[in-house]
Amino acid sequence: MHPHKTELGHTVLQTHRAALDLRQRRALILCDGKRSLAELSGMLGNDVPELIAQLRREGYLQADAAPAPPAAAPATATVAAALASAPAQASAERRRSMVAARIYVLDILALQRNPTAAQLHKLLQAAREEGDTVNALKLALSHLPAMTSAGYTQRVRGRLQEVLPEAHLTAVLEAAPLPA
């Protein structure tokens, strides 16, 4: 099965109007009709079949059965078996990356209509070293409460807790004050 976006799925990604969590959004982006469930599982983790099924039920995805080449079938089975045996913690750790956190905060800053957000966006975009990126993320989070609501700021912090590597969680999230 090679899931791909419906018209609703394309619209949701363009408008940011649906209440999708970061994982659902990432899965929706990666479902291009070319990737199989096994490939998606390798990128997103073991729970992809349930995630894809949920997105299909909600009308964001549809799936066409694409015939797999005969040589690819054993490899797909091997990948599926390897993924099934991997511990849940390892798959969760694969989903955590500084790049994902950086891109997420860049997108959040781009959505704000605020000169400070524009400056923070440029600063984060220019950060090349890991330490500079951590500092730019801390700075962005510390300014976010002044640019948006407390609830929105909390959702951003929650998403960062999902994607930020655990080694940087304390440095980034505890340094940025919680909204009042």
Side-chain angles (χ1 to χ4, degrees):
M1 175 169 58
H2 292 72
H4 57 93
K5 291 174 261 322
T6 62
E7 192 61 38
L8 176 63
H10 285 288
T11 303
V12 162
L13 287 176
Q14 292 171 351
T15 63
H16 299 279
R17 297 212 186 264
L20 297 176
D21 65 26
L22 183 62
R23 202 152 148 60
Q24 291 169 323
R25 187 169 186 75
R26 189 178 296 143
L28 190 56
I29 290 168
L30 290 172
C31 289
D32 58 2
K34 297 175 185 170
R35 293 182 177 99
S36 69
L37 276 179
E39 291 171 301
L40 292 167
S41 291
M43 292 182 214
L44 297 170
N46 295 339
D47 62 341
V48 165
E50 297 87 24
L51 184 63
I52 298 300
Q54 177 188 10
L55 291 171
R56 286 180 67 192
R57 282 190 306 272
E58 294 173 4
Y60 299 120
L61 289 176
Q62 59 189 19
D64 296 331
T76 302
T78 304
V79 168
L83 288 173
S85 66
Q89 183 180 10
S91 69
E93 197 56 40
R94 274 197 311 266
R95 291 190 301 261
R96 293 180 177 274
S97 77
M98 186 61 81
V99 172
R102 184 175 184 263
I103 290 171
Y104 177 68
V105 174
L106 282 169
D107 287 347
I108 294 301
L109 292 171
L111 292 172
Q112 308 307 309
R113 304 284 186 235
N114 185 305
T116 303
Q119 290 175 335
L120 291 167
H121 188 277
K122 287 179 185 176
L123 179 69
L124 182 54
Q125 201 167 31
R128 295 291 173 240
E129 299 296 321
E130 193 168 289
D132 294 337
T133 302
V134 168
N135 289 333
L137 289 171
K138 285 193 292 193
L139 194 57
L141 275 182
S142 69
H143 282 83
L144 197 58
M147 294 183 269
T148 188
S149 71
Y152 190 80
T153 301
Q154 286 292 68
R155 287 194 303 273
V156 169
R157 291 174 64 85
R159 298 294 183 259
L160 276 176
Q161 284 179 320
E162 294 174 10
V163 298
L164 198 62
E166 289 188 15
H168 299 295
L169 279 173
T170 305
V172 173
L173 296 176
E174 289 185 9
L178 291 172

